[in-house]
Amino acid sequence: MKITILCVGKIKEKFYRDAIAEYEKRLSRYCKLEIIEVADEKTPEGASETVELQIKEKEAERMIARMEKYLRDGAFVCALAIDGKQLDSVELSKKIDRLGTGGTSHIIFLIGGSLGMADSLLKRADMKLSFSKMTFPHQLMRVILLEQIYRAYRIMNGEPYHK
């Protein structure tokens, strides 16, 4: 299985980069992992709703351009969104496993920027996934997502993992 995390912005903080590198290493025995970062737009202080929508749309255009080739190959797209479906770790593991056994060889997880994701991008997703009703920094969300994918593979393989 190939897992792509397509996200807005670069990780600046070393502690996030270290955590991401650790999960990349751990996941290397289970799947082919790719992390693609697209540039984020600077949000002016006190930006209007219209300006924020334009920013989200520019970021969405960059993400869509990067995932077009994968969509032609039948990739399953899962957008992280606060209003998405909430799964526990076992359910996420089963979802990834079912996709794989059903013939899907590529899952793309989308993480928007600090303003979230444009509706145009959310509409292209096969599934919207929520980790919580709370809002998390998009940099931290990348670490949380990687940890949950790692946990899912451990569960799928019947390997122990702390609860």
Side-chain angles (χ1 to χ4, degrees):
M1 172 78 70
K2 180 175 182 179
I3 304 280
T4 298
I5 298 176
L6 179 54
C7 44
V8 174
K10 294 204 176 300
I11 301 291
K12 296 171 186 75
E13 297 86 354
K14 183 181 182 322
F15 59 92
Y16 286 140
R17 287 195 315 268
D18 290 346
I20 289 165
E22 178 63 27
Y23 284 109
E24 285 177 313
K25 184 176 81 179
R26 290 182 186 193
L27 279 164
S28 66
R29 63 185 284 235
Y30 299 107
C31 64
K32 184 178 187 311
L33 179 67
E34 172 185 41
I35 297 176
I36 300 172
E37 298 172 332
V38 299
D40 57 342
E41 288 289 312
K42 300 297 176 236
T43 305
E45 194 69 35
S48 68
E49 188 176 327
T50 302
V51 169
E52 287 188 357
L53 288 172
Q54 290 170 343
I55 288 169
K56 289 195 294 188
E57 200 53 53
K58 284 180 185 174
E59 292 172 347
E61 287 169 9
R62 290 181 189 128
M63 293 177 84
I64 290 166
R66 292 300 301 265
M67 70 179 186
E68 280 300 329
K69 68 178 179 180
Y70 299 135
L71 294 176
R72 287 190 296 274
D73 295 335
F76 182 88
V77 178
C78 180
L80 273 56
I82 203 162
D83 64 338
K85 182 177 174 120
Q86 291 189 357
L87 302 176
D88 64 27
S89 297
V90 172
E91 290 169 328
L92 179 62
S93 175
K94 287 179 181 175
K95 178 69 176 178
I96 293 170
D97 190 41
R98 275 194 308 272
L99 285 167
T101 57
T104 299
S105 61
H106 190 178
I107 302 172
I108 302 171
F109 289 94
L110 305 177
I111 302 175
S114 59
L115 298 175
M117 257 184 263
D119 287 340
S120 61
L121 189 56
L122 291 169
K123 288 177 181 155
R124 294 183 92 116
D126 298 301
M127 174 184 180
K128 291 194 304 185
L129 178 65
S130 173
F131 278 76
S132 172
K133 297 275 184 216
M134 292 184 268
T135 302
F136 296 102
H138 59 283
Q139 301 94 329
L140 178 58
M141 200 61 236
R142 202 179 307 185
V143 176
I144 294 170
L145 174 60
L146 285 167
E147 190 280 333
Q148 284 299 303
I149 294 169
Y150 175 67
R151 184 181 295 264
Y153 275 104
R154 298 286 294 188
I155 291 168
M156 267 186 262
N157 287 286
E159 298 168 351
Y161 196 74
H162 61 280
K163 297 183 184 232

Short mmCIF file of all heavy atoms in Angstrom, two decimals, residues 87-132:
data_model
loop_
_atom_site.label_atom_id
_atom_site.label_comp_id
_atom_site.label_asym_id
_atom_site.label_seq_id
_atom_site.Cartn_x
_atom_site.Cartn_y
_atom_site.Cartn_z
N LEU A 87 -13.63 7.96 13.62
CA LEU A 87 -13.37 6.54 13.75
C LEU A 87 -12.45 6.32 14.94
O LEU A 87 -11.60 7.17 15.22
CB LEU A 87 -12.65 6.00 12.49
CG LEU A 87 -13.33 6.17 11.13
CD1 LEU A 87 -12.41 5.66 10.03
CD2 LEU A 87 -14.65 5.44 11.10
N ASP A 88 -12.58 5.17 15.58
CA ASP A 88 -11.57 4.84 16.58
C ASP A 88 -10.41 4.16 15.85
O ASP A 88 -10.47 3.93 14.63
CB ASP A 88 -12.14 4.01 17.74
CG ASP A 88 -12.64 2.62 17.33
OD1 ASP A 88 -12.15 2.05 16.33
OD2 ASP A 88 -13.52 2.10 18.03
N SER A 89 -9.36 3.84 16.57
CA SER A 89 -8.15 3.30 15.92
C SER A 89 -8.40 1.97 15.23
O SER A 89 -7.87 1.72 14.15
CB SER A 89 -7.03 3.15 16.96
OG SER A 89 -6.68 4.41 17.48
N VAL A 90 -9.22 1.12 15.85
CA VAL A 90 -9.53 -0.18 15.24
C VAL A 90 -10.34 0.03 13.96
O VAL A 90 -10.09 -0.63 12.93
CB VAL A 90 -10.28 -1.09 16.24
CG1 VAL A 90 -10.77 -2.36 15.56
CG2 VAL A 90 -9.37 -1.43 17.42
N GLU A 91 -11.28 0.95 13.97
CA GLU A 91 -12.08 1.22 12.77
C GLU A 91 -11.22 1.78 11.64
O GLU A 91 -11.40 1.41 10.48
CB GLU A 91 -13.21 2.20 13.10
CG GLU A 91 -14.30 1.60 13.97
CD GLU A 91 -15.28 2.64 14.51
OE1 GLU A 91 -14.86 3.80 14.76
OE2 GLU A 91 -16.45 2.29 14.69
N LEU A 92 -10.27 2.65 11.98
CA LEU A 92 -9.37 3.17 10.95
C LEU A 92 -8.52 2.04 10.38
O LEU A 92 -8.33 1.95 9.16
CB LEU A 92 -8.46 4.27 11.52
CG LEU A 92 -7.45 4.86 10.52
CD1 LEU A 92 -8.15 5.51 9.34
CD2 LEU A 92 -6.52 5.85 11.22
N SER A 93 -8.05 1.16 11.23
CA SER A 93 -7.27 0.02 10.79
C SER A 93 -8.08 -0.84 9.82
O SER A 93 -7.59 -1.24 8.76
CB SER A 93 -6.83 -0.81 12.00
OG SER A 93 -6.17 -1.98 11.59
N LYS A 94 -9.32 -1.11 10.18
CA LYS A 94 -10.21 -1.92 9.31
C LYS A 94 -10.47 -1.21 7.98
O LYS A 94 -10.52 -1.86 6.93
CB LYS A 94 -11.52 -2.22 10.02
CG LYS A 94 -11.38 -3.24 11.13
CD LYS A 94 -12.71 -3.48 11.83
CE LYS A 94 -12.53 -4.49 12.97
NZ LYS A 94 -13.77 -4.67 13.75
N LYS A 95 -10.63 0.11 8.02
CA LYS A 95 -10.88 0.87 6.79
C LYS A 95 -9.68 0.76 5.84
O LYS A 95 -9.84 0.48 4.65
CB LYS A 95 -11.15 2.34 7.14
CG LYS A 95 -11.37 3.24 5.95
CD LYS A 95 -12.67 2.93 5.27
CE LYS A 95 -12.97 3.88 4.14
NZ LYS A 95 -14.20 3.55 3.44
N ILE A 96 -8.48 0.96 6.36
CA ILE A 96 -7.27 0.85 5.54
C ILE A 96 -7.13 -0.57 5.00
O ILE A 96 -6.83 -0.78 3.82
CB ILE A 96 -6.02 1.28 6.33
CG1 ILE A 96 -6.08 2.78 6.65
CG2 ILE A 96 -4.74 0.93 5.57
CD1 ILE A 96 -5.02 3.27 7.62
N ASP A 97 -7.38 -1.57 5.85
CA ASP A 97 -7.28 -2.96 5.44
C ASP A 97 -8.31 -3.29 4.35
O ASP A 97 -7.98 -3.92 3.34
CB ASP A 97 -7.47 -3.87 6.66
CG ASP A 97 -7.13 -5.31 6.37
OD1 ASP A 97 -6.13 -5.57 5.66
OD2 ASP A 97 -7.87 -6.20 6.84
N ARG A 98 -9.56 -2.85 4.54
CA ARG A 98 -10.61 -3.11 3.54
C ARG A 98 -10.29 -2.47 2.20
O ARG A 98 -10.52 -3.05 1.15
CB ARG A 98 -11.97 -2.62 4.04
CG ARG A 98 -12.71 -3.61 4.91
CD ARG A 98 -14.18 -3.23 5.10
NE ARG A 98 -14.37 -1.87 5.57
CZ ARG A 98 -14.38 -1.50 6.84
NH1 ARG A 98 -14.22 -2.39 7.79
NH2 ARG A 98 -14.57 -0.24 7.17
N LEU A 99 -9.76 -1.25 2.25
CA LEU A 99 -9.37 -0.60 1.00
C LEU A 99 -8.31 -1.42 0.27
O LEU A 99 -8.40 -1.64 -0.93
CB LEU A 99 -8.85 0.82 1.27
CG LEU A 99 -9.92 1.86 1.60
CD1 LEU A 99 -9.29 3.13 2.14
CD2 LEU A 99 -10.78 2.17 0.37
N GLY A 100 -7.31 -1.87 1.02
CA GLY A 100 -6.24 -2.67 0.42
C GLY A 100 -6.73 -3.99 -0.15
O GLY A 100 -6.40 -4.34 -1.29
N THR A 101 -7.53 -4.71 0.61
CA THR A 101 -8.04 -6.00 0.12
C THR A 101 -9.07 -5.82 -0.98
O THR A 101 -9.29 -6.72 -1.78
CB THR A 101 -8.63 -6.85 1.27
OG1 THR A 101 -9.67 -6.12 1.90
CG2 THR A 101 -7.58 -7.25 2.26
N GLY A 102 -9.66 -4.62 -1.05
CA GLY A 102 -10.62 -4.33 -2.11
C GLY A 102 -9.99 -3.83 -3.39
O GLY A 102 -10.67 -3.49 -4.34
N GLY A 103 -8.66 -3.76 -3.42
CA GLY A 103 -7.97 -3.40 -4.65
C GLY A 103 -7.41 -1.98 -4.69
O GLY A 103 -6.78 -1.60 -5.67
N THR A 104 -7.63 -1.22 -3.64
CA THR A 104 -7.05 0.13 -3.60
C THR A 104 -5.61 0.01 -3.14
O THR A 104 -5.34 -0.54 -2.08
CB THR A 104 -7.85 1.03 -2.63
OG1 THR A 104 -9.19 1.14 -3.11
CG2 THR A 104 -7.23 2.42 -2.54
N SER A 105 -4.70 0.54 -3.93
CA SER A 105 -3.29 0.42 -3.58
C SER A 105 -2.68 1.75 -3.12
O SER A 105 -1.50 1.82 -2.81
CB SER A 105 -2.49 -0.11 -4.77
OG SER A 105 -2.60 0.79 -5.86
N HIS A 106 -3.52 2.80 -3.07
CA HIS A 106 -3.00 4.12 -2.73
C HIS A 106 -4.07 4.91 -1.98
O HIS A 106 -5.19 5.06 -2.45
CB HIS A 106 -2.60 4.85 -4.01
CG HIS A 106 -1.83 6.10 -3.78
ND1 HIS A 106 -1.37 6.86 -4.81
CD2 HIS A 106 -1.44 6.75 -2.66
CE1 HIS A 106 -0.72 7.93 -4.33
NE2 HIS A 106 -0.77 7.87 -3.01
N ILE A 107 -3.70 5.41 -0.80
CA ILE A 107 -4.57 6.29 -0.03
C ILE A 107 -3.87 7.62 0.12
O ILE A 107 -2.69 7.68 0.48
CB ILE A 107 -4.87 5.71 1.38
CG1 ILE A 107 -5.52 4.33 1.27
CG2 ILE A 107 -5.77 6.67 2.17
CD1 ILE A 107 -5.66 3.62 2.61
N ILE A 108 -4.61 8.69 -0.15
CA ILE A 108 -4.09 10.04 0.02
C ILE A 108 -4.85 10.70 1.17
O ILE A 108 -6.08 10.76 1.15
CB ILE A 108 -4.29 10.90 -1.25
CG1 ILE A 108 -3.60 10.26 -2.45
CG2 ILE A 108 -3.77 12.32 -1.03
CD1 ILE A 108 -3.93 10.93 -3.77
N PHE A 109 -4.12 11.14 2.17
CA PHE A 109 -4.70 11.90 3.27
C PHE A 109 -4.40 13.37 3.03
O PHE A 109 -3.24 13.73 2.78
CB PHE A 109 -4.11 11.47 4.62
CG PHE A 109 -4.55 10.10 5.07
CD1 PHE A 109 -3.77 8.98 4.78
CD2 PHE A 109 -5.73 9.93 5.77
CE1 PHE A 109 -4.16 7.72 5.19
CE2 PHE A 109 -6.13 8.67 6.19
CZ PHE A 109 -5.35 7.56 5.91
N LEU A 110 -5.42 14.22 3.11
CA LEU A 110 -5.26 15.65 2.88
C LEU A 110 -5.33 16.40 4.20
O LEU A 110 -6.24 16.19 4.99
CB LEU A 110 -6.39 16.18 1.98
CG LEU A 110 -6.59 15.50 0.63
CD1 LEU A 110 -7.80 16.11 -0.08
CD2 LEU A 110 -5.34 15.62 -0.22
N ILE A 111 -4.35 17.26 4.43
CA ILE A 111 -4.35 18.14 5.60
C ILE A 111 -4.26 19.57 5.08
O ILE A 111 -3.29 19.95 4.43
CB ILE A 111 -3.17 17.85 6.54
CG1 ILE A 111 -3.19 16.39 7.02
CG2 ILE A 111 -3.21 18.81 7.74
CD1 ILE A 111 -1.97 16.00 7.86
N GLY A 112 -5.28 20.36 5.38
CA GLY A 112 -5.32 21.75 4.93
C GLY A 112 -4.39 22.63 5.73
O GLY A 112 -3.70 22.18 6.66
N GLY A 113 -4.38 23.89 5.39
CA GLY A 113 -3.55 24.86 6.08
C GLY A 113 -4.23 25.40 7.33
O GLY A 113 -5.22 24.85 7.80
N SER A 114 -3.71 26.49 7.82
CA SER A 114 -4.21 27.04 9.09
C SER A 114 -5.65 27.52 9.01
O SER A 114 -6.32 27.60 10.03
CB SER A 114 -3.30 28.18 9.56
OG SER A 114 -3.26 29.19 8.58
N LEU A 115 -6.15 27.80 7.82
CA LEU A 115 -7.54 28.23 7.66
C LEU A 115 -8.47 27.06 7.34
O LEU A 115 -9.68 27.25 7.23
CB LEU A 115 -7.65 29.28 6.54
CG LEU A 115 -6.89 30.58 6.77
CD1 LEU A 115 -6.99 31.47 5.53
CD2 LEU A 115 -7.40 31.31 8.00
N GLY A 116 -7.92 25.89 7.16
CA GLY A 116 -8.74 24.73 6.78
C GLY A 116 -8.64 24.47 5.29
O GLY A 116 -7.71 24.92 4.62
N MET A 117 -9.64 23.76 4.77
CA MET A 117 -9.65 23.36 3.36
C MET A 117 -10.82 23.99 2.62
O MET A 117 -11.91 24.13 3.17
CB MET A 117 -9.79 21.84 3.25
CG MET A 117 -8.52 21.14 2.94
SD MET A 117 -8.79 19.37 2.71
CE MET A 117 -8.35 18.78 4.34
N ALA A 118 -10.59 24.31 1.37
CA ALA A 118 -11.65 24.85 0.51
C ALA A 118 -12.67 23.75 0.22
O ALA A 118 -12.33 22.57 0.15
CB ALA A 118 -11.05 25.36 -0.80
N ASP A 119 -13.91 24.17 0.05
CA ASP A 119 -14.97 23.21 -0.27
C ASP A 119 -14.67 22.45 -1.56
O ASP A 119 -15.00 21.28 -1.68
CB ASP A 119 -16.32 23.93 -0.41
CG ASP A 119 -16.87 24.37 0.94
OD1 ASP A 119 -16.44 23.83 1.99
OD2 ASP A 119 -17.74 25.27 0.96
N SER A 120 -14.02 23.11 -2.51
CA SER A 120 -13.71 22.44 -3.78
C SER A 120 -12.82 21.23 -3.56
O SER A 120 -12.93 20.21 -4.25
CB SER A 120 -13.02 23.41 -4.74
OG SER A 120 -11.80 23.88 -4.19
N LEU A 121 -11.94 21.30 -2.58
CA LEU A 121 -11.06 20.18 -2.26
C LEU A 121 -11.81 19.11 -1.47
O LEU A 121 -11.67 17.91 -1.75
CB LEU A 121 -9.85 20.69 -1.47
CG LEU A 121 -8.71 19.72 -1.22
CD1 LEU A 121 -8.16 19.15 -2.52
CD2 LEU A 121 -7.60 20.42 -0.45
N LEU A 122 -12.61 19.53 -0.52
CA LEU A 122 -13.39 18.57 0.29
C LEU A 122 -14.33 17.75 -0.59
O LEU A 122 -14.54 16.56 -0.34
CB LEU A 122 -14.17 19.30 1.37
CG LEU A 122 -13.33 19.91 2.49
CD1 LEU A 122 -14.18 20.84 3.36
CD2 LEU A 122 -12.68 18.83 3.34
N LYS A 123 -14.87 18.38 -1.62
CA LYS A 123 -15.81 17.68 -2.52
C LYS A 123 -15.11 16.61 -3.35
O LYS A 123 -15.76 15.66 -3.80
CB LYS A 123 -16.52 18.68 -3.43
CG LYS A 123 -17.54 19.50 -2.68
CD LYS A 123 -18.19 20.53 -3.57
CE LYS A 123 -19.18 21.33 -2.74
NZ LYS A 123 -19.44 22.65 -3.25
N ARG A 124 -13.82 16.73 -3.54
CA ARG A 124 -13.07 15.73 -4.32
C ARG A 124 -12.70 14.51 -3.49
O ARG A 124 -12.23 13.51 -4.02
CB ARG A 124 -11.81 16.36 -4.89
CG ARG A 124 -12.12 17.43 -5.91
CD ARG A 124 -10.84 17.95 -6.49
NE ARG A 124 -10.51 17.19 -7.68
CZ ARG A 124 -10.44 17.68 -8.89
NH1 ARG A 124 -10.71 18.94 -9.08
NH2 ARG A 124 -10.11 16.92 -9.91
N ALA A 125 -12.86 14.61 -2.18
CA ALA A 125 -12.48 13.52 -1.29
C ALA A 125 -13.51 12.39 -1.32
O ALA A 125 -14.71 12.64 -1.46
CB ALA A 125 -12.33 14.04 0.14
N ASP A 126 -13.02 11.18 -1.18
CA ASP A 126 -13.90 10.01 -1.08
C ASP A 126 -14.45 9.87 0.34
O ASP A 126 -15.47 9.23 0.55
CB ASP A 126 -13.12 8.74 -1.44
CG ASP A 126 -12.62 8.78 -2.87
OD1 ASP A 126 -13.46 8.91 -3.79
OD2 ASP A 126 -11.39 8.71 -3.08
N MET A 127 -13.75 10.48 1.28
CA MET A 127 -14.14 10.37 2.69
C MET A 127 -13.61 11.59 3.43
O MET A 127 -12.52 12.08 3.13
CB MET A 127 -13.54 9.10 3.30
CG MET A 127 -13.74 8.93 4.76
SD MET A 127 -12.86 7.44 5.33
CE MET A 127 -13.28 7.52 7.07
N LYS A 128 -14.38 12.06 4.39
CA LYS A 128 -13.90 13.09 5.30
C LYS A 128 -13.74 12.44 6.67
O LYS A 128 -14.65 11.77 7.15
CB LYS A 128 -14.87 14.27 5.38
CG LYS A 128 -14.94 15.07 4.10
CD LYS A 128 -15.64 16.40 4.26
CE LYS A 128 -17.02 16.30 4.81
NZ LYS A 128 -17.73 17.61 4.86
N LEU A 129 -12.57 12.63 7.26
CA LEU A 129 -12.23 12.00 8.53
C LEU A 129 -11.96 13.09 9.56
O LEU A 129 -11.22 14.02 9.30
CB LEU A 129 -10.99 11.12 8.36
CG LEU A 129 -10.44 10.42 9.59
CD1 LEU A 129 -11.43 9.39 10.13
CD2 LEU A 129 -9.11 9.74 9.25
N SER A 130 -12.58 12.93 10.74
CA SER A 130 -12.35 13.88 11.83
C SER A 130 -11.67 13.15 12.98
O SER A 130 -12.07 12.06 13.35
CB SER A 130 -13.69 14.45 12.31
OG SER A 130 -13.49 15.23 13.48
N PHE A 131 -10.67 13.78 13.53
CA PHE A 131 -10.00 13.22 14.69
C PHE A 131 -10.61 13.74 15.98
O PHE A 131 -10.38 13.19 17.04
CB PHE A 131 -8.49 13.54 14.65
CG PHE A 131 -7.73 12.58 13.79
CD1 PHE A 131 -7.79 12.67 12.41
CD2 PHE A 131 -6.98 11.57 14.35
CE1 PHE A 131 -7.10 11.78 11.60
CE2 PHE A 131 -6.29 10.67 13.55
CZ PHE A 131 -6.35 10.77 12.18
N SER A 132 -11.37 14.82 15.88
CA SER A 132 -11.97 15.41 17.07
C SER A 132 -12.81 16.60 16.63
O SER A 132 -12.64 17.13 15.54
CB SER A 132 -10.87 15.88 18.03
OG SER A 132 -11.39 16.61 19.10
#
